Amino acid sequence: MSASHMADEHRRSYVIRGVLLLVLLWLGVSAYGIWRYASQETEPPVFDALSYVQKAQAFWSAVKEHGIFFNPLNLIPQIRPFGTVFFTHPYGFTEDFRPFYFFSSFFPALILAFAILVAAGRTAWRDSRSVWVLCVLLVVSASLPSYYQFASAEGVPVMGSWGFVDTLFGAIGAVGIALATRSVPERWMRDTLLSAAIAVLTIFIKPAGLTLMMLIAGAWGLMALGLLYRRKISPRTFWKGVAIYAGSYAFVAAILYRSAYFSKENYLYGLSSMKLLHAAQVHTPTLAQVAEKLNLAFGISCLVLLLVGLLCTTFQRHWDRLGVAIVCLAGGTWLWLGQTNIEHVRYFFPFPVMALACVVPSLIWLSTRVRGAVVACSALFLIPTGIIGLLLLESHPSLGMQRVMGLNLTTNLHSEEVRQGREISELISREPGRTSIVYYCGVAPKVKAFEAVMDWNRVLGLKGGNSNPALPIDWVREHAYRLDEMLAARFVVFEPYEHAGAVAATIRVADDFDKEQALVRAWLSTLGEADGVRVVSDGGVRVLEILDPSAVAKAARQRLLPGHTFRQVFHDGFSNPDTVSEEGIKGLDGNLVREPISLYFGETLVATIRGVTVTSRDDGTSKVDVYVSQESPMPNSSSQWLLFVHSIDRQGELTQAYAPIHETAIQQDSLVHYVLSLPAGPRKPSWYAVGVFNHAPGRDDLFLTSKDGEWEGRRHVL
């Protein structure tokens, strides 16, 4: 061995040690910083994050009770798969949510760094320059701003908050596509098997895993055809790989087919959520808005490295890798801006990191083709990481610098609202036999923090968990305040205005949800004991207890409705149901109910739907009149039962509306007349369906069932 070669080997050895030390140092700083902030947090998970905790609780309880002999896909909540459990609660369930916050933020960094290692392969370790570039890629991928999105804060741009798993989902997808695009013939079958296994894992992390499965399989197929064309693998080996993917996907499809996770209801709920998310994007996003969101998710270093990687892949004419990367980016952009909206960049996250994994070999190749000084300049990409590290270690990190770097290091911001939530939970716990409905005005950070405490107790079955949430936003209907639902609640939680009159005076036409919300909050801020309410807690949020719903309704007619123009959906949600006689609906024009629909709870006849009519309005919405007779008391009457209506098009997609059941004294020959409003859909409805359900606290919803209904009798198609 020549002296120069020995010198190169020594240099490479030192670089490798330095790289490993630097990467481990950064991971240590990152882990310490995330845990430091997570350990201070007192606000429990809520919404999506809470559903992952609930799944972990159900999973580990089932393991304790049944061992491994149970179907984890059928555990509640059925809309969430079980794969997240192994990353968010790897050693069992605990009511301490701080480890969950830590794992969901830190594990994605480890996994994405591993994906970069897989994509780089052994060639990255042959030269000191390529080792250094690999180091840069590892540190950058382990320090994306999306890992440091902590508590929600008013006015602070965020990608998400504590407990979201989109970064985990994307990192696992990157591992899968890195394995699928590695063109190493001697390890090709092993990589094929592993990539198929990782692809399958994504569907057990999020339902969008179907998209990642298709991308990973497509990437593998494209690379395999290239190897076959260049005769680096035999046709027999190629078809073995096809069999592995086909067999793996078929096996998973068989498991999913009959699971509650992939039920028709969950599928339609997902479609409804996507449509509502996209409908919330009123204006076409500007380039500045897109750039801000990309900075929150990826940071400038990652984006530049991805762009350079695409250019290098083009220069090398590796069209297969380039094609996969472009398809990933194009598909992600379509999902983000075409199907959801600009605010939800977290749905876009998996696709650029998968594209980055595709172009890593080209970045490694570039390092061996340029001067050492140019490679050394790649250290500039580590500057943002250094700044992030300093911010993580500071006691009071600069808000301005956080914004520049795309971070949100806010933690324990809402301790006052958490205290209020615990206070009301204690109040509710004094009446364990009563389920209290709590109406939350919007999902602003303060209100969200209060709800987090209530929902945490409810879902985990803790003391004070006998409550049910109600909100103007539920992702199945148009966002709107429906005062009938508010009046059915025991408590109303909102952020009060100091100058409520001035706010109300500035808004005359509430033609969107935000204006409507401002008017409702301003009106609630004026309510007192004379209006049928009392203030039970006042701090970061105000909590009103509704003592006299009729007095509150009167206050709305006198002080909220006059002088303001509201949307039709708002008016439809504030209509006192009237009682009519059975004689009054005989010969009802356009009645879709040919035979009375009897609704049972178990063997008990509870209610009968005797009439449904649908009338189209000029604004594209539909007015639905439903006539219901109550035959016996509602079961589980301490919580709210809801009447729902679905409009169904020929593709099976639905839009829906629902209204609270008003439990009145059971009167013979009398029916309650409900008015619901269905939003305009993209296609003309072909059918309508009705039913009644109860949103049970922390468990599966209860339904009244009809003997001839679909969905196991839970809804009746007219």
Side-chain angles (χ1 to χ4, degrees), residues 248-326:
S248 300
Y249 282 24
F251 178 70
V252 170
I255 293 175
L256 295 175
Y257 179 69
R258 293 190 176 276
S259 71
Y261 171 44
F262 254 56
S263 65
K264 185 176 182 180
E265 297 94 315
N266 283 349
Y267 168 73
L268 292 174
Y269 173 79
L271 288 181
S272 173
S273 300
M274 297 286 279
K275 286 191 290 186
L276 288 168
L277 278 173
H278 190 56
Q281 185 168 277
V282 180
H283 304 291
T284 302
T286 65
L287 288 177
Q289 289 175 315
V290 171
E292 180 186 57
K293 295 300 180 182
L294 291 177
N295 187 47
L296 287 173
F298 307 103
I300 188 66
S301 293
C302 180
L303 293 173
V304 172
L305 285 171
L306 175 58
L307 178 59
V308 173
L310 291 170
L311 293 174
C312 290
T313 307
T314 304
F315 183 79
Q316 283 187 285
R317 297 185 179 182
H318 283 180
W319 307 123
D320 43 10
R321 291 183 184 277
L322 182 64
V324 172
I326 290 175

Side-chain angles (χ1 to χ4, degrees), residues 295-542:
N295 187 47
L296 287 173
F298 307 103
I300 188 66
S301 293
C302 180
L303 293 173
V304 172
L305 285 171
L306 175 58
L307 178 59
V308 173
L310 291 170
L311 293 174
C312 290
T313 307
T314 304
F315 183 79
Q316 283 187 285
R317 297 185 179 182
H318 283 180
W319 307 123
D320 43 10
R321 291 183 184 277
L322 182 64
V324 172
I326 290 175
V327 168
C328 286
L329 293 172
T333 301
W334 171 81
L335 178 65
W336 175 28
L337 300 179
Q339 298 299 305
T340 60
N341 64 57
I342 185 67
E343 297 300 323
H344 290 77
V345 68
R346 62 191 181 93
Y347 294 131
F348 181 58
F349 179 85
F351 303 95
V353 296
M354 292 172 70
L356 179 64
C358 291
V359 301
V360 163
S362 294
L363 289 169
I364 299 298
W365 168 85
L366 178 65
S367 68
T368 64
R369 297 298 188 273
V370 297
R371 293 180 179 274
V374 175
V375 174
C377 288
S378 61
L380 294 174
F381 288 107
L382 300 181
I383 292 176
T385 300
I387 296 173
I388 291 173
L390 291 174
L391 291 173
L392 284 173
L393 298 176
E394 285 186 17
S395 299
H396 302 286
S398 165
L399 293 177
M401 188 56 69
Q402 287 184 55
R403 193 179 189 102
V404 170
M405 302 306 300
L407 311 183
N408 172 33
L409 303 183
T410 305
T411 193
N412 201 30
L413 181 65
H414 302 115
S415 57
E416 171 62 15
E417 291 76 24
V418 169
R419 181 197 64 78
Q420 288 182 275
R422 291 171 178 168
E423 184 180 274
I424 299 302
S425 291
E426 177 63 29
L427 176 64
I428 290 174
S429 71
R430 296 171 191 166
E431 300 178 81
R434 175 184 183 183
T435 300
S436 298
I437 300 173
V438 184
Y439 191 95
Y440 301 97
C441 291
V443 291
K446 289 184 178 182
V447 174
K448 180 181 170 185
F450 182 98
E451 184 181 356
V453 178
M454 305 295 291
D455 285 355
W456 180 257
N457 292 344
R458 173 177 60 86
V459 168
L460 269 61
L462 305 177
K463 182 180 179 182
N466 49 314
S467 69
N468 255 342
L471 295 94
I473 299 174
D474 57 19
W475 302 114
V476 296
R477 304 175 296 171
E478 185 177 1
H479 299 350
Y481 279 86
R482 297 166 174 86
L483 295 184
D484 281 353
E485 295 176 17
M486 183 184 294
L487 298 178
R490 179 183 178 187
F491 298 105
V492 178
V493 183
F494 66 101
E495 285 187 76
Y497 284 119
E498 186 176 352
H499 303 290
V503 173
T506 60
I507 303 173
R508 291 301 176 189
V509 179
D511 53 3
D512 62 35
F513 176 75
D514 290 336
K515 294 174 184 175
E516 185 178 287
Q517 178 166 260
L519 286 177
V520 171
R521 284 176 53 198
W523 167 67
L524 288 170
S525 301
T526 68
L527 297 184
E529 292 188 6
D531 303 307
V533 303
R534 72 182 180 99
V535 178
V536 293
S537 183
D538 208 357
V541 295
R542 182 173 297 171

